[in-house]
Amino acid sequence: MAFVEPIDLRRNGVLLTPLDFAHEDGLRAAAQDGELWKIRVTSVPEPENTRLYIEQAMNMRAAGNRMPFAVIDEATGKVLGSTSYHDIVPALKRVEIGYTWYAQSVQRSHVNTTCKLTLLTHAFETLGAAVVGWRTDNFNFASQRAIERLGARKDGVIRHHAPRRDGTVRDTVMYSMLAGEWPEAKAQLLYLLNKPR
């Protein structure tokens, strides 16, 4: 049995379900909501490359190093975006959470916090992960703030680490959360989700 298996995860009206070609039109529409592929520091697919994006994610899943999910509003069935476990290292009980993006209309809503709480709960409480990691572009300040808001700790920066779509090379900011840090982080995430907006 693999460390990370395909599974549906639900919380607060948000469904995370394994990404496949049935989500192509919805994923394309989510990316078009805000023309997210134009943001320099993300890897959101251009509309014409949505199928290739899904195919590459599924190939990584087949290789055992990524579990991509479509993020869906359960009430409407609308695809809101995508997120993944990736860089899965079973021997270390390590996963990372990334490849995360959402339609502009649901950004700064409960969706991201709900997804992260769902993925972290599954990683630490079901998979028995020892550590969950994140990585982001050094210029993606919104992502860095969101990761820090989860309670993750900054591990450092890997300089000149990965190519961007515009041909420049990014520095990658690395974060992690250890299993022992999860109870406090979980309490904070539940507080953030339940406080009046």
Side-chain angles (χ1 to χ4, degrees):
M1 182 169 140
F3 180 47
V4 180
E5 296 280 354
I7 189 171
D8 283 350
L9 300 170
R10 291 177 166 84
R11 183 183 289 266
N12 295 348
V14 177
L15 167 66
L16 302 180
T17 192
L19 182 66
D20 65 35
F21 292 121
H23 302 116
E24 183 177 354
D25 290 342
L27 206 64
R28 183 180 299 110
Q32 288 172 323
D33 179 353
E35 298 184 329
L36 302 177
W37 65 92
K38 293 183 178 179
I39 300 171
R40 179 173 176 257
V41 294
T42 67
S43 59
V44 179
E46 299 89 345
E48 66 274 14
N49 291 328
T50 304
R51 188 169 188 83
L52 177 62
Y53 179 88
I54 295 170
E55 183 179 318
Q56 290 171 339
M58 291 173 65
N59 288 342
M60 291 174 75
R61 178 172 66 205
N65 56 21
R66 182 173 172 191
M67 180 56 63
F69 295 96
V71 179
I72 298 176
D73 181 327
E74 284 199 289
T76 65
K78 182 178 179 181
V79 177
L80 305 176
S82 185
T83 191
S84 297
Y85 288 128
H86 66 94
D87 285 77
I88 299 165
V89 187
L92 299 177
K93 294 187 175 182
R94 178 185 174 91
V95 297
E96 293 187 30
I97 296 173
Y99 295 93
T100 301
W101 58 271
Y102 307 105
Q104 188 175 61
S105 59
V106 298
Q107 292 175 13
R108 303 187 63 81
S109 72
H110 73 288
V111 172
N112 185 52
T113 304
T114 297
C115 288
K116 293 304 187 293
L117 177 60
T118 303
L119 290 170
L120 285 164
T121 300
H122 184 69
F124 286 123
E125 298 179 17
T126 301
L127 301 178
V131 62
V132 174
W134 294 263
R135 58 182 72 191
T136 190
D137 190 291
N138 59 301
F139 284 117
N140 194 340
F141 302 115
S143 178
Q144 291 172 46
R145 284 191 303 273
I147 293 167
E148 290 167 5
R149 185 171 163 256
L150 298 171
R153 306 251 179 116
K154 186 175 178 179
D155 295 321
V157 178
I158 304 174
R159 299 180 66 196
H160 201 77
H161 182 244
R164 295 187 187 100
R165 75 173 77 214
D166 66 2
T168 61
V169 180
R170 79 177 199 183
D171 293 349
T172 299
V173 186
M174 302 292 295
Y175 291 88
S176 66
M177 181 184 296
L178 301 176
E181 297 164 343
W182 168 235
E184 178 62 22
K186 181 180 182 180
Q188 178 65 9
L189 286 171
L190 288 168
Y191 166 77
L192 291 172
L193 272 176
N194 293 324
K195 75 176 184 177
R197 293 185 176 268

